[in-house]
Amino acid sequence: MSILILTGPYVIDNPERNVRRLIQRLRDKQQFQAGDTVLLPMQALNGTVDAFWLMRPENRERNDYWLKKLASGLKTTGVRLLIPVALTQGVGVLEMVGGQFRTLAIKPIDGGIYVEAEQTQIGMDVIFRTAAVGEPFAIPDSSDYVIVDGRGFDNGHVFLGQCRLVKKGRTRLSYLGEADLINLGEGHVCLQDVHHERFAAMQMALRCYLQNYGFERVTIGISGGLDSAVVAALAVSVVGADRVNAVVMPSCFTSQASKIDAQQLAQRLQLRLRSMDIMPTGQCIAQSVNPHLPYWANKDLMNENIQARVRGLLLMSISNADGSLVLNTANKSELSVGYCTMYGDMVGGLAPLADIYKSDLYKLCENVAYLREMIPSNILTKAPSAELRENQKDEDSLPSYTELDAVLKDLIEGAMSGKRLRKKYGAEFANKICKMVSSSQFKHHQAPLAVCLTGRPICALTPEFFHGLLTQT
């Protein structure tokens, strides 16, 4: 007799397909024997834990129907299921064996559903996790429990199959996104710190996004900087180097050091690096526009943004030609304060780094061995620069990322009031950052889909969030 977890991923809004897959899988006598107990995650029927699916009556009725089909299909297997579901009677956990149902008593917790050991009959409490990566999740005070989590990517939220077995207060087994079938008797343990969790979440999100939308290749602009280096390493880890279009797009402002860093990164990742000079196209656009501009126009800013938009155009052209997915490389620090160009470096279908601050990105590379090995050390130590003008550095326009991120974390994740921010960081500095974030809302709303790694990504900020944030002058 074994206790197993089927983490998925499951198909969103398709209980018929999910149930048919489960029946086919659980009838496999080489993997499942009579007397085995199989724990299914919250996503098992509808592929999602979204409250929409837990509330609509027609979806609950549909669940009733497909649960009966599941019970009928597994009636002769002797396998016992514990499955959390939303039925017409409400949300609960069902025990299913021999074609019969029994409702188990549950306790709602922050980020999940809790079933005590005397109900589960497997000698331990069971926690069915509903929290995505970065969302609050409270583990009850128990010394013997198992966490059941599904795998998937749903509207920016990542579910990693973060299953864990704890006995007598000690972790005996843990998984992080790498297995669809977990046997609690195997004793597997993996690293589950915040850095490995975030990188695994980005891998899961990219993998599921490609599968859900039928992409087989990705396209990335390589600048020789940290952000594009991390996204390139991520892409290679998911799809392999032969399915990554790596493009370097230098201008007259691109330093020789950046070109060398991009080449070294490509060599380590075994990427074929293509080079496209953006200057001829950028100059052509500027020459076409200049005669029609007023004398007071900010041509320097226009020329900087033309460079970013030419790069975006080239990446999207490749995407159109070979059906690849363009991956956006913006981080949360830059996106928060609008240090990005619409229709330029904001292009792409998925933004893996959009919910991780720049300072945390450095920590990610320090702690995840794969990134530490793949990314050249010079990329990690040099001063960040967009290289849109001569000798440009990010700190010409922004505070240091350490200072900037400290304010942003208190503002966004900490929901600190403008008054408290001004008291902590000084009125001038706090107002400057708050104004940059507030005035960038139009960019936040047009950014690509972000992989959510915290409880409050930029896309979740509403206009009401900014009310009263700035001092009135």
Side-chain angles (χ1 to χ4, degrees), residues 5 7 129 137 139 145-149 151 160-167 170-193 196-197 200:
I5 303 172
T7 64
R129 176 171 174 149
F137 177 55
I139 299 176
Y145 63 86
V146 58
I147 297 174
V148 180
D149 186 26
R151 300 190 304 155
L160 266 182
Q162 296 185 75
C163 301
R164 189 189 315 166
L165 173 65
V166 175
K167 287 189 175 181
R170 296 184 61 185
T171 299
R172 306 292 183 178
L173 172 145
S174 61
Y175 276 86
L176 193 67
E178 71 268 35
D180 68 333
L181 177 64
I182 296 172
N183 189 325
L184 297 192
E186 291 179 350
H188 177 279
V189 178
C190 70
L191 291 171
Q192 286 191 320
D193 61 72
H196 288 84
E197 179 188 60

Side-chain angles (χ1 to χ4, degrees), residues 13 32 62 109 299 365:
D13 190 24
F32 303 95
R62 186 173 63 172
I109 60 173
K299 294 183 181 180
C365 295

Side-chain angles (χ1 to χ4, degrees), residues 298-346:
N298 189 343
K299 294 183 181 180
D300 290 338
L301 178 61
M302 178 195 76
N303 287 326
E304 289 180 20
N305 286 334
I306 285 175
Q307 294 174 60
R309 290 182 174 124
V310 169
R311 290 183 173 120
L313 175 63
L314 292 174
L315 293 176
M316 293 308 300
S317 298
I318 295 171
S319 170
N320 290 155
D322 70 359
S324 58
L325 170 71
V326 174
L327 293 180
N328 181 267
T329 61
N331 61 65
K332 192 171 186 176
S333 305
E334 296 169 350
L335 183 59
S336 297
V337 297
Y339 193 62
C340 47
T341 304
M342 289 178 59
Y343 321 116
D345 55 358
M346 288 181 67

Side-chain angles (χ1 to χ4, degrees), residues 13 15 46 53 57-67:
D13 190 24
N46 292 315
W53 297 109
E58 58 266 37
N59 290 327
R60 293 184 177 187
E61 293 171 4
R62 186 173 63 172
N63 286 351
D64 289 349
Y65 173 82
W66 285 108
L67 276 173

Side-chain angles (χ1 to χ4, degrees), residues 6 79 89 106 146 180 197 212 233 238 263 266 310 340 351 387 412 433 436 446 469:
L6 271 173
V79 174
Q89 301 92 337
I106 65 170
V146 58
D180 68 333
E197 179 188 60
N212 291 343
V238 173
Q263 291 169 355
V310 169
C340 47
E387 295 189 328
I412 299 172
I433 303 305
M436 292 173 75
Q446 297 193 56
L469 191 62

Side-chain angles (χ1 to χ4, degrees), residues 2-20:
S2 300
I3 303 173
L4 307 107
I5 303 172
L6 271 173
T7 64
Y10 299 90
V11 183
I12 296 176
D13 190 24
N14 199 333
E16 176 181 0
R17 189 173 177 184
N18 291 329
V19 165
R20 294 192 187 281

